[in-house]
Amino acid sequence: MTVLILTCEQDVTADLAVVELNANGIPVLRLDPAELPGGVGVSGEYAHGSFHGHLSVGGRVVSMRGLRSIWVRRPGTPAAGAPAFSSWLSEESSQALYGMLRCTGARWMNHPDAARQARHKPWQLWLARECGLPVPATLITTFPRVAREFAERYPDLVVKPVSGAHPGEDGFAVPTTRVRPDEDFRAVEHGPTLLQRRVRKVADIRLTVVGDRMFAARAAAAAGSGDDAVVDVRFAPAAGPWRAVTVPPRVAEAVEDYLARAQLSYGAFDFAEDADGIWWFLECNQSGQFGFVEIETGQPIGRAVAEWLAGEPLDPPGSDEPAVGSADCT
């Protein structure tokens, strides 16, 4: 039974899990949908009341019936690597690949339907609040008057994109930035704008959840960073280093509820910790990076992902027991 990983070629985060799977003899097929058609091939036959599908990467062919799990890590846009890219070809390739994969009995991390919903920041904020997580006062609006009234109630604000695009992703990535005291907000009528009460944070928290396992890391905020214009740890790194911390019981319970309602098996949560020790929810990235956390804290997140994908415990690191079968990462 094979683990299928959908991601780009240069993905160190995926490598951390692949190494664990390989060491335990779990077959792995790694492909980037951007290479379909071309380096990646698909075939599916619907006949006599049954479905038979196959994937091909670099000359290796795997039956979709033999997939035990599918990790949608950081896949490229289908057909993006075609000599002549077109939106039509991309949609055809996407329909073929993901449509066939939905016909398998494999477990998903995370299912495309759940992942699509989970990316909506407004829904994230609503769900986090419903689950009992502290959420800073937030406004999303295209009305200048409403924005000004919100700023009067919460004078210390930040502005961030509604889409939550991250550095390195396609499209624009706008850092979370403090709003000027003299802002007139006329510009918000040109596009939905997310305003949020600034949390006077003392630290950034990254909570990575794999199934029912939680890995929390904390990085102290840089001295005086609260007064900077850009308050986004992705663009202005924390003082660090990242260190493993215990998850408060109430946060753990709320996060479990969040993932259950969102139907996610993996989530990377970002919190801002204030001086009172409260973890304020900022977002949940359903395919967020964990490599930097594992490298700095030593938390075995990649192994946890590998065990979830394998659906079974793996041999302890350094075990002398020979692995059964063979593993391959394409």
Side-chain angles (χ1 to χ4, degrees):
M1 298 292 286
T2 301
V3 170
L4 173 62
I5 301 177
L6 303 179
T7 194
C8 57
E9 182 177 355
Q10 302 299 326
D11 185 0
V12 176
T13 293
D15 293 341
L16 296 173
V18 170
V19 167
E20 298 286 349
L21 292 166
N22 284 339
N24 283 266
I26 307 295
V28 177
L29 183 68
R30 177 171 175 167
L31 67 84
D32 186 355
E35 298 179 6
L36 171 68
V40 173
V42 297
S43 180
E45 179 178 319
Y46 301 79
H48 307 295
S50 63
F51 165 71
H52 299 281
H54 293 84
L55 294 167
S56 173
V57 182
R60 179 183 172 197
V61 179
V62 171
S63 169
M64 293 187 190
R65 182 179 295 178
L67 297 179
R68 70 170 78 194
S69 59
I70 304 169
W71 186 16
V72 187
R73 229 310 283 173
R74 187 147 292 185
T77 301
F85 177 79
S86 72
S87 58
W88 177 85
L89 180 59
S90 179
E91 181 63 19
E92 290 292 294
S93 299
S94 178
Q95 289 276 350
L97 176 62
Y98 289 103
M100 290 182 195
L101 291 177
R102 281 175 166 84
C103 301
T104 70
R107 299 197 302 163
W108 291 81
M109 179 184 276
N110 289 301
H111 194 284
D113 296 340
R116 186 177 298 108
Q117 175 176 251
R119 281 193 289 267
H120 290 100
K121 179 67 71 66
W123 184 79
Q124 288 186 24
L125 297 171
W126 172 83
L127 181 59
R129 185 69 178 177
E130 286 289 299
C131 294
L133 290 170
V135 178
T138 305
L139 172 70
I140 302 173
T141 187
T142 59
F143 296 106
R145 178 182 59 79
V146 174
R148 284 191 290 269
E149 292 174 352
F150 187 76
E152 290 175 0
R153 297 198 303 274
Y154 305 99
D156 193 359
L157 294 174
V158 295
V159 60
K160 58 178 68 173
V162 179
S163 62
H166 286 64
E169 293 183 353
D170 294 336
F172 294 104
V174 181
T176 299
T177 307
R178 294 186 67 182
V179 176
R180 297 191 306 262
D182 59 347
E183 184 63 62
D184 63 17
F185 297 105
R186 283 180 293 181
V188 304
E189 66 182 358
H190 299 297
T193 302
L194 191 156
L195 301 172
Q196 190 171 76
R197 181 183 65 81
R198 181 174 72 96
V199 176
R200 296 177 180 272
K201 66 181 181 182
V202 298
D204 290 284
I205 303 291
R206 167 57 70 93
L207 174 58
T208 308
V209 186
V210 183
D212 58 0
R213 301 176 66 180
M214 297 188 180
F215 303 90
R218 180 182 188 273
S225 62
D227 297 325
D228 293 341
V230 176
V231 294
D232 195 323
V233 69
R234 302 168 303 167
F235 294 83
W242 290 94
R243 300 186 184 280
V245 294
T246 301
V247 184
R250 288 187 177 181
V251 174
E253 182 179 352
V255 166
E256 288 178 355
D257 189 21
Y258 183 107
L259 291 175
R261 295 200 198 189
Q263 298 182 317
L264 299 176
S265 54
Y266 176 91
F269 291 78
D270 286 326
F271 297 90
E273 180 186 348
D274 67 14
D276 296 321
I278 297 175
W279 289 14
W280 292 90
F281 173 88
L282 300 179
E283 70 171 339
C284 173
N285 187 341
Q286 54 82 31
S287 63
Q289 303 276 10
F290 62 77
F292 70 97
V293 175
E294 177 161 337
I295 291 172
E296 291 202 35
T297 67
Q299 294 174 307
I301 306 175
R303 184 176 180 82
V305 170
E307 290 188 329
W308 191 97
L309 294 171
E312 61 188 54
L314 302 182
D315 292 334
S319 173
D320 292 329
E321 292 295 325
V324 178
S326 62
D328 185 11
C329 176
T330 301

